[in-house]
Amino acid sequence: MADIVIELPSSNDRVPGSHALTQVQYPRSDGISTSGLDAEAIVTEWVSLFNSQLHFEGPSLSRLFLKGSFWRDLLCLTWDFHTLAGPEKIAALLKTQTAEQRIKSLAIDSSSDAGKPSVAPVDFEGTLKGVQSFLTVETDVGRGRGLVRLLPDSEDEGKWKAFTLFTTLQELKEHEELNGERRPTGTEHGLYPGRKNWKERRLAEENLAGEAEPAVLIVGSGQGGLSAAARLKQLGVSTLIVDRNPRIGDNWRNRYHQLVLHDSVWYDHMPYLSFPPDWPIFTPKDKLAEWFECYAKIMELNIWSHTTIKASQWHDTSRTWTVTLERNKDGNKEARTLHPRHIIQATGASGDADFPSHIKGLEEFQGDCMVHSSQFLGPQPDAKGKKAVVVGSSNSAHDIAKDFYEHGYHVTMVQRSSAYVVQSQTLLDVSMKGLYSEDGPPLEDADLINMSLPHPVLKRFHSDATREMTRRDAALLHGLLDAGFALDSGPDGAGLWMKYLHRGGGYYIDVGASQLIADGKIKLKQGQEISRINAHSITFEDGDELEADEIVFATGYRNMRDSARKIFGDGLADRVRDVWGFDEEGEIRAMWRRSGHPGFWFFGGNLALCRYYSRLLALQIKALEVGIMKYEDP
């Protein structure tokens, strides 16, 4: 049977101010054969040339890169994130370093089977092959890892040059993480009258006994806050997490009843402490909440739950904060004023719930329930035949609509704009297989490979992958189109991941709801905004009216900058840069890096992003704390 052919339109919506990523074109291969190549010799020669040219003028080094090449660097070249497109941009940045180059040398890293010099595909389809190798990176202040992909330059006698180079800082010299050979002893042998045991010391640390002051205050105890705190602890930076919820994990525990992570276990591990080998592929939200509690205890993180910020002020002269906290402990309210040098806002992957409070008639609704999806606990157990309306068409909307249907409701989904849809198994088989999977490389290596692709190259990779996933899911997608569901293929056809980075939503990883829509079991109202809410119905701009006993607005979340304004005031919010979306080089704006306001950092993303970028955030803060870095440094 011939494949069903399906073409879907692009969706290029992005957060305000975000730069559009170009769709990279792969270099010409001109039929150069890779059979019989000595990959190690090719990488060795390139690395030797790189090191020999590193301390000369920029153009000498840039000649080792193809015309359409990229160098992605995270904290090795400067104290910022860069994606340098082409030899000219590479030379320009190197010229700005008037002193010696930060990077001292590269070397081949053969410590991992996944990273040894080898012939490897450069593109998704595997038609363009080059030579790839992991690298070690030596800088003036630290050590890092890297990955280079080399291709022959058809315009320069077939010389092997870099198509992509990735360098990332892993540790600071003389300030390495306190694990492995540097792990604590756990005790001090000898005679010490009146000594405290581990539990006493732990309680004193957690409660900031003796007027102790943390260097870092983290707001939020989800995956972002926990990951950042764990990294900072390993670097010896005193840190306190505060969260308004009564328990660690409540940010997941209190979400809708049937929530299960759509990302797989292989992708979702947290720093230092991976999930056990019998952990389910997809984690239920309550199980994840329990894991967060266990993680905090095992990693000995200092967390004050049921605590809110009552006031905050930044002092430019002393480079410190004054923060007043109100802590609910054992039924009593305690006030405490702290003076951290850094605040990390880790209040969620995005910001506060985006409830459409502008809709007319909200106060007139007399049905059983009208909430944002973040407050929806689940359908009523004996509500068969009731009418539920879910506004939205991304992951949460589909999950909630499916849950309503399984409880006997008549369900209608209100889809206002198009969405990208991919079946869960298809995503695992096409995008994750061999990298984040049971047969994938060690997690650190998988992360290195994944992060080594500059976003313009990653966009092209995902465009090709999206085309293959659309081919595999064509039957289901045709069924959705026939039902009136508006589909798209993401930014320039680049699918789910680029849509996430561009706008933080607008997609569904299908775990069953799509077939219900295709079969007409979940009804659809498409392409119309809500005009008003009535006592027992919704009126749309086209005049249609839809009966409703329960309404759930799965309408997403606001920008983290809005949350910062709410918590810390206009002074800070007006000073920080816009969050998420891409800067002019193709790096994510203001996230995991300097925000524009000294002593203030944004930290968010899914579990995988938090795992990876928590190290880089912690290294920046540690470098500031010990005087290696200044906030004004390039």
Side-chain angles (χ1 to χ4, degrees):
M1 180 178 176
D3 287 337
I4 300 173
V5 178
I6 184 168
E7 295 288 338
L8 298 175
S10 297
S11 172
N12 293 313
D13 291 343
R14 53 184 185 269
V15 293
S18 174
H19 289 256
L21 285 180
T22 58
Q23 188 80 293
V24 71
Q25 298 297 314
Y26 289 119
R28 290 166 46 198
S29 61
D30 286 347
I32 297 177
S33 173
T34 55
S35 62
L37 287 177
D38 187 340
E40 185 169 3
I42 291 170
V43 178
T44 299
E45 181 180 5
W46 186 87
V47 168
S48 177
L49 288 170
F50 182 96
N51 290 334
S52 67
Q53 298 296 319
L54 187 58
H55 304 291
F56 291 95
E57 290 297 321
S60 299
L61 183 62
S62 65
R63 293 191 189 103
L64 299 177
F65 291 80
L66 293 167
K67 284 185 178 179
S69 60
F70 296 88
W71 183 349
R72 186 179 191 215
D73 177 76
L74 306 178
L75 306 183
C76 289
L77 280 171
T78 73
W79 285 110
D80 202 359
F81 303 166
H82 291 284
T83 293
L84 307 173
E88 294 79 12
K89 293 285 183 66
I90 292 169
L93 186 138
L94 295 176
K95 281 183 177 180
T96 65
Q97 299 188 339
T98 54
E100 289 190 11
Q101 300 294 342
R102 286 278 311 278
I103 292 181
K104 297 302 180 184
S105 65
L106 302 181
I108 294 175
D109 180 5
S110 298
S111 61
S112 167
D113 289 340
K116 293 178 180 178
S118 62
V119 174
V122 173
D123 60 345
F124 168 78
E125 295 169 343
T127 56
L128 179 63
K129 289 185 170 62
V131 171
Q132 173 179 297
S133 177
F134 284 6
L135 303 170
T136 59
V137 184
E138 184 85 12
T139 81
D140 56 345
V141 298
R143 289 170 286 267
R145 300 186 78 191
L147 190 154
V148 65
R149 296 177 179 88
L150 301 173
L151 290 170
D153 188 348
S154 60
E155 298 180 7
D156 192 6
E157 301 176 344
K159 292 178 181 177
W160 287 87
K161 298 183 181 182
F163 171 52
T164 67
L165 174 64
F166 176 60
T167 48
T168 181
L169 193 64
Q170 294 279 112
E171 62 182 6
L172 299 172
K173 296 174 182 176
E174 300 183 8
H175 302 284
E176 292 85 358
E177 291 186 340
L178 303 174
N179 54 44
E181 294 181 352
R182 302 179 187 87
R183 72 176 70 225
T185 60
T187 187
E188 291 185 59
H189 297 298
L191 183 62
Y192 297 96
R195 77 164 75 196
K196 291 180 170 56
N197 69 6
W198 172 85
K199 184 176 181 180
E200 291 169 321
R201 296 194 304 272
R202 181 75 194 100
L203 286 172
E205 178 190 2
E206 188 174 20
N207 290 297
L208 303 181
E211 302 301 314
E213 292 274 0
V216 181
L217 179 69
I218 299 177
V219 184
S221 63
Q223 62 262 23
L226 296 176
S227 298
R231 297 284 193 187
L232 288 164
K233 186 177 182 69
Q234 291 299 307
L235 290 174
V237 179
S238 59
T239 303
L240 173 68
I241 301 175
V242 296
D243 196 296
R244 64 189 177 187
N245 288 313
R247 289 177 62 189
I248 300 166
D250 276 351
N251 63 315
W252 286 98
R253 189 179 288 112
N254 294 337
R255 296 185 67 187
Y256 57 89
H257 186 65
Q258 292 293 345
L259 174 59
V260 177
L261 296 190
H262 290 79
D263 293 327
S264 71
V265 61
W266 305 289
Y267 186 60
D268 280 345
H269 295 293
M270 296 179 71
Y272 311 113
L273 196 61
S274 295
F275 296 119
D278 63 341
W279 197 264
I281 294 175
F282 302 107
T283 306
K285 53 109 176 178
D286 295 290
K287 190 174 180 68
L288 184 66
E290 299 296 312
W291 178 261
F292 280 6
E293 283 195 313
C294 295
Y295 185 87
K297 288 182 178 294
I298 293 170
M299 299 304 298
E300 298 184 16
L301 306 181
N302 303 324
I303 302 178
W304 289 4
S305 296
H306 223 174
T307 299
T308 54
I309 294 177
K310 307 303 289 185
S312 65
Q313 184 178 2
W314 169 255
H315 309 285
D316 268 316
T317 304
S318 63
R319 292 292 177 103
T320 59
W321 290 89
T322 298
V323 182
T324 303
L325 303 175
E326 183 177 88
R327 183 186 187 189
N328 288 275
K329 184 183 178 186
D330 302 326
N332 299 313
K333 290 185 178 181
E334 300 178 357
R336 182 77 177 265
T337 299
L338 301 177
H339 303 89
R341 291 180 289 279
H342 307 270
I343 290 178
I344 300 173
Q345 181 182 320
T347 50
S350 299
D352 292 334
D354 189 8
F355 186 86
S357 55
H358 64 280
I359 296 177
K360 296 178 182 178
L362 290 172
E363 70 284 354
E364 299 176 15
F365 186 66
Q366 297 178 19
D368 300 327
C369 171
M370 182 175 64
V371 295
H372 187 269
S373 58
S374 59
Q375 280 87 46
F376 180 68
L377 299 180
Q380 299 178 43
D382 54 353
K384 186 175 182 179
K386 289 203 170 187
K387 296 178 175 61
V389 177
V390 181
V391 182
S393 58
S394 294
N395 277 334
S396 295
H398 281 82
D399 287 347
I400 292 169
K402 180 171 173 282
D403 196 11
F404 272 131
Y405 178 81
E406 290 175 343
H407 280 77
Y409 284 72
H410 297 294
V411 190
T412 301
M413 176 180 288
V414 178
Q415 186 192 29
R416 299 164 300 160
S417 58
S418 63
Y420 173 74
V421 175
V422 60
Q423 292 189 88
S424 176
Q425 190 60 48
T426 302
L427 184 65
L428 288 179
D429 291 344
V430 175
S431 285
M432 298 292 186
K433 185 69 173 173
L435 188 62
Y436 295 105
S437 57
E438 198 68 40
D439 59 350
L443 185 62
E444 288 277 340
D445 292 346
D447 282 345
L448 181 66
I449 295 168
N450 185 33
M451 293 296 173
S452 71
L453 288 173
H455 286 120
V457 180
L458 188 67
K459 184 175 182 179
R460 172 62 186 273
F461 184 92
H462 278 287
S463 293
D464 296 338
T466 297
R467 189 161 49 251
E468 171 60 18
M469 290 188 286
T470 299
R471 184 190 68 81
R472 296 189 184 199
D473 289 348
L476 175 66
L477 299 178
H478 267 297
L480 286 172
L481 290 171
D482 290 344
F485 192 92
L487 291 167
D488 65 57
S489 58
D492 298 317
L496 182 154
W497 187 241
M498 283 297 133
K499 210 168 190 191
Y500 174 81
L501 295 178
H502 270 282
R503 52 168 288 194
Y507 58 83
Y508 172 50
I509 302 174
D510 177 41
V511 292
S514 289
Q515 193 60 55
L516 294 175
I517 295 171
D519 293 341
K521 295 175 180 178
I522 293 176
K523 305 299 182 184
L524 195 65
K525 177 64 179 177
Q526 204 282 324
Q528 293 293 321
E529 293 289 343
I530 295 172
S531 174
R532 66 172 293 111
I533 303 293
N534 309 305
H536 298 283
S537 65
I538 299 174
T539 300
F540 294 91
E541 289 186 347
D542 63 357
D544 283 356
E545 189 169 339
L546 186 64
E547 292 183 13
D549 297 303
E550 298 188 34
I551 304 172
V552 177
F553 289 99
T555 43
Y557 297 84
R558 298 182 184 274
N559 191 284
M560 288 184 76
R561 192 174 183 180
D562 295 331
S563 299
R565 188 179 301 278
K566 180 178 178 181
I567 299 170
F568 301 103
D570 292 339
L572 179 135
D574 291 341
R575 194 168 172 179
V576 297
R577 303 184 186 100
D578 287 325
V579 190
W580 290 111
F582 294 102
D583 65 16
E584 61 277 4
E585 289 187 351
E587 290 293 333
I588 300 298
R589 300 182 300 171
M591 182 66 64
W592 321 300
R593 57 201 286 206
R594 284 170 285 184
S595 67
H597 188 297
F600 186 83
W601 309 82
F602 287 112
F603 195 84
N606 60 24
L607 276 87
L609 289 174
C610 288
R611 175 185 67 246
Y612 189 81
Y613 283 102
S614 55
R615 172 188 280 126
L616 295 166
L617 174 63
L619 288 172
Q620 292 171 81
I621 290 175
K622 181 66 175 182
L624 287 165
E625 286 292 291
V626 299
I628 295 174
M629 168 190 173
K630 295 180 180 178
Y631 195 85
E632 295 76 19
D633 285 345

